[in-house]
Amino acid sequence: MYYLGETSLKQATLHQLRVFEAVARHNSFTRAAEELFLTQPTVSMQVKQLTKIVGMPLFDQVGKRIYLTQAGEELVKTCREVFDKLDKFEMILSDLKGLKQGRLRLAVITTAKYFVPRLLGPFCQQYPGIDISLQVTNHEYILGRLNENLDDLYIMSQLPENLDVTYQAVLENPLIILAPANHPLANEKNIPLERIAAEPFIMREPGSGTRKAVQDLFDEHQISLKVRLDLGSNEAIKQAIAGGLGISALSRHTLALEGTTGQLTILDVEKFPIERHWYAVYPNGKQLSVVAQTFLEYMLTQGKQISENTVTPTART
Ligand code: PGA
């Protein structure tokens, strides 16, 4: 029970808590207002009323930026627990009614965007009552979301080291070296890592799991790559390779939907492909909603088939 100041948190409305959580998540009144389709003064008013009920400031304002106070941080955690419980209750109700209904919040690393949306199509056809929210971002951001328990399921290739999670391998996600089709090494076999290190290399941005896997391999062999460019997108990297800026290591799945113009080729490099997997991950102890559980099972049974149909053994850009 919360009795803070002279008022009780029981007087707070669910709406106020949702507004507050959105402001905290975006760190912005304006963006929260946009997300919730409210005006900014309405959002400010709701937070002001909630602050009064709590009896302590929820945000500090420094210049134009706002920061959660300690009370604010605690309240965010509480809000998320409350929303989570309500979501679960909704799912239980749906299940009791024999319907698969509700919301599925997924957060996936950039390479999984070549595969997860292909599963979502048939899944949504099978369960038309399910609304999906899909966040596609890099490894570091996924870890942040996982830490804050913002989604139902996470798909990543590198398991978090410092978070207690439950995981299941979904599919292989090998990393390969891609080069322009007319590259002098295109027809060589078992190219040494040292030779790759002599080529201008294009790297994913810091925080990327792909980058870390490549860097770890070269570090392990004490070889320095000649990084010419950092790029935050797999697609932009493929364009840069085709444009002759260098070679790179990317997931083989990034070739899944390509045409047949033959601008890229996979080099045969020693120690490659780097064998990795996608894992479906969620915080240990979290009780998956019926919808999330259904999607996880669906992914495990259907995923392999979809991937086999979309990933080709050779580059076809
Ligand atoms: P990234 O993750 O988008 O963080 O590089 C992709 C992967 O690890 O396959």
Side-chain angles (χ1 to χ4, degrees), residues 53-54 72 97 117 181 201 215-216 236 263 274-275 277 281 292 300:
I53 292 169
V54 170
K97 291 180 197 158
F201 204 85
Q215 196 67 61
D216 284 353
Q263 292 185 51
I274 302 178
E275 300 295 349
H277 284 86
V281 176
L300 293 172

Side-chain angles (χ1 to χ4, degrees), residues 108-112 137-140 142 156-158 173 175 204-205 207-213 234 251 276-278:
V108 310
I109 48 168
T110 64
T111 51
T137 182
N138 77 14
H139 178 77
E140 189 168 293
I142 296 276
M156 58 178 69
S157 275
Q158 196 190 311
N173 179 25
L175 284 186
R204 281 285 305 279
E205 77 289 358
S208 144
T210 307
R211 179 189 179 106
K212 181 164 187 322
N234 299 320
S251 162
R276 305 165 80 225
H277 284 86
W278 280 312

Side-chain angles (χ1 to χ4, degrees), residues 186-239:
N187 295 320
E188 306 246 336
K189 295 273 171 260
N190 207 22
I191 304 162
L193 291 181
E194 285 84 357
R195 180 65 190 84
I196 293 299
E199 293 291 313
F201 204 85
I202 308 166
M203 264 297 200
R204 281 285 305 279
E205 77 289 358
S208 144
T210 307
R211 179 189 179 106
K212 181 164 187 322
V214 176
Q215 196 67 61
D216 284 353
L217 176 73
F218 281 85
D219 285 354
E220 194 187 309
H221 293 85
Q222 296 173 350
I223 297 170
S224 301
L225 280 165
K226 222 165 66 185
V227 178
R228 170 182 270 182
L229 185 65
D230 281 346
L231 274 180
S233 136
N234 299 320
E235 291 303 307
I237 289 183
K238 287 192 320 194
Q239 294 298 330

Side-chain angles (χ1 to χ4, degrees), residues 280-300:
V281 176
Y282 54 93
N284 208 2
K286 179 177 169 112
Q287 204 198 327
L288 284 187
S289 66
V290 177
V291 169
Q293 187 63 45
T294 309
F295 182 68
L296 180 57
E297 281 157 21
Y298 185 85
M299 194 160 49
L300 293 172

Side-chain angles (χ1 to χ4, degrees), residues 157-192:
S157 275
Q158 196 190 311
L159 293 167
E161 281 164 19
N162 302 320
L163 297 174
D164 189 14
V165 294
T166 301
Y167 61 89
Q168 253 175 299
V170 180
L171 269 182
E172 290 171 359
N173 179 25
L175 284 186
I176 48 162
I177 298 276
L178 278 177
N182 59 2
H183 195 277
L185 296 174
N187 295 320
E188 306 246 336
K189 295 273 171 260
N190 207 22
I191 304 162

Side-chain angles (χ1 to χ4, degrees), residues 2 21 74-88 148-149:
Y2 296 91
E21 194 276 337
E74 290 302 323
L75 186 56
V76 170
K77 276 191 225 150
T78 307
C79 286
R80 289 185 184 145
E81 280 165 23
V82 170
F83 301 154
D84 215 41
K85 283 252 154 40
L86 285 173
D87 280 352
K88 265 181 210 136
E148 292 187 35
N149 192 21

